[in-house]
Amino acid sequence: MSHSDLGRGVVVVPTYNEALNLEAVVARVRAAQPELDVLVVDDGSPDGTGAIADRLAAADPAVSVVHRTEKAGLGAAYLHGFAVALERGYDVVGEMDADGSHQPEQLGRLLDALGSADLVIGSRWVRGGSVVNWPWTRMALSRGGNLYVRLLLGIRVRDATAGFRLFRRTTLEKIDLASVQSTGYVFQTDLTWRTLQAGLVVAEVPIEFVERERGESKMTGAVAGESLRRITRWGLRERRRQLRRFVRERRRP
């Protein structure tokens, strides 16, 4: 299947204070996959990121910008971007960080896999995936967090927290985006879980994740804490549901 068979595609790139990185990342996406559009969703960055995005959009019709007036979290920015993408009729909607950690040159791997999947995740933790320039503590936190997700939710996805991914339009339409309340990094796990719950196919392809060289990471202890609490609630709820189902089946004559 050629990429053109997938229909029109857009990559949603949320930004908050990414003035040092945005221009290079957008240029790399446009060079690596010229058929993909780019939608920048800026959360009112005080460092001028929004103005840079506007300049890029003025120079390239494949680039557009949504300006948000508040910093409401990664999930809120993505939900806004997804709504705009669906409204504009895109068939494929992608997610990618603006800091260069996700390499646009690897988007082709995700597009190839989308031919037989509903959601494709660029994974750090499958065979062939890797992380560059992370301290062992951050590696352990990410690996441990994903192991916790697998055990608690009973899923096989090895990098449910990853933010480099492609959705089919039909997937986003099936998973009830209007009811998504997670705003931080747990948003990624939330949408992975919803896709699986809807009976859809999630594929993982290996990527090389490169830690940002410029600007500050948005991952904080508070963000990690929100993720852990929310995932724990889902997991316990799902385990109770499984137990009730098991008991019902055992009681059948």
Side-chain angles (χ1 to χ4, degrees), residues 33 54 84 98 119 128 132 169 178 182 203 207 212 219 236 238:
Q33 297 294 337
D54 284 337
V84 170
L119 161 62
V132 177
R169 174 191 187 86
S182 49
I207 57 139
R212 66 161 64 233
M219 176 59 82
L236 294 176
E238 173 62 12

Side-chain angles (χ1 to χ4, degrees), residues 79 82-83 86 172-173 175-181 187 191 194:
L79 288 172
F82 289 169
L86 293 174
L172 293 176
E173 289 173 339
I175 60 177
D176 190 18
L177 292 174
S179 70
V180 175
Q181 293 179 332
F187 173 80
L191 263 58
R194 285 166 180 262

Side-chain angles (χ1 to χ4, degrees), residues 43-227:
D43 264 4
S45 300
D47 73 342
T49 300
I52 293 170
D54 284 337
R55 175 165 54 77
L56 297 174
D60 183 350
V63 179
S64 59
V65 189
V66 171
H67 293 280
R68 291 166 53 78
T69 53
E70 59 174 340
K71 185 176 186 293
L74 186 72
Y78 269 131
L79 288 172
H80 193 155
F82 289 169
V84 170
L86 293 174
E87 194 178 286
R88 292 179 182 174
Y90 287 103
D91 305 295
V92 174
V93 182
E95 297 183 17
M96 209 177 90
D97 288 351
D99 60 12
S101 55
H102 299 142
Q103 300 180 69
E105 296 76 17
Q106 298 180 346
L107 271 167
R109 301 181 188 181
L110 279 68
L111 285 163
D112 289 343
L114 197 63
S116 55
D118 301 294
L119 161 62
V120 177
I121 296 172
S123 177
R124 298 161 292 187
W125 307 128
V126 293
R127 186 185 296 277
S130 61
V131 171
V132 177
N133 294 335
W134 263 15
W136 71 267
T137 47
R138 184 127 182 236
M139 293 250 281
L141 189 65
S142 181
R143 280 184 175 275
N146 274 290
L147 175 61
Y148 184 69
V149 167
R150 285 199 301 282
L151 293 174
L152 201 61
L153 299 182
I155 63 177
R156 293 183 178 178
V157 175
R158 300 194 66 80
D159 200 353
T161 61
F164 192 18
R165 45 180 71 191
L166 294 178
F167 292 89
R168 286 182 177 271
R169 174 191 187 86
T170 48
T171 305
L172 293 176
E173 289 173 339
K174 280 179 185 169
I175 60 177
D176 190 18
L177 292 174
S179 70
V180 175
Q181 293 179 332
S182 49
T183 57
Y185 282 75
V186 71
F187 173 80
Q188 309 295 7
T189 304
D190 190 348
L191 263 58
T192 305
W193 171 242
R194 285 166 180 262
T195 302
L196 290 167
Q197 288 289 95
L200 301 174
V201 175
V202 177
E204 291 184 273
V205 297
I207 57 139
E208 180 186 63
F209 180 98
V210 182
E211 177 61 5
R212 66 161 64 233
E213 294 178 0
R214 296 180 297 275
E216 293 183 6
S217 172
K218 311 300 188 298
M219 176 59 82
T220 65
V223 168
E226 187 228 354
S227 300

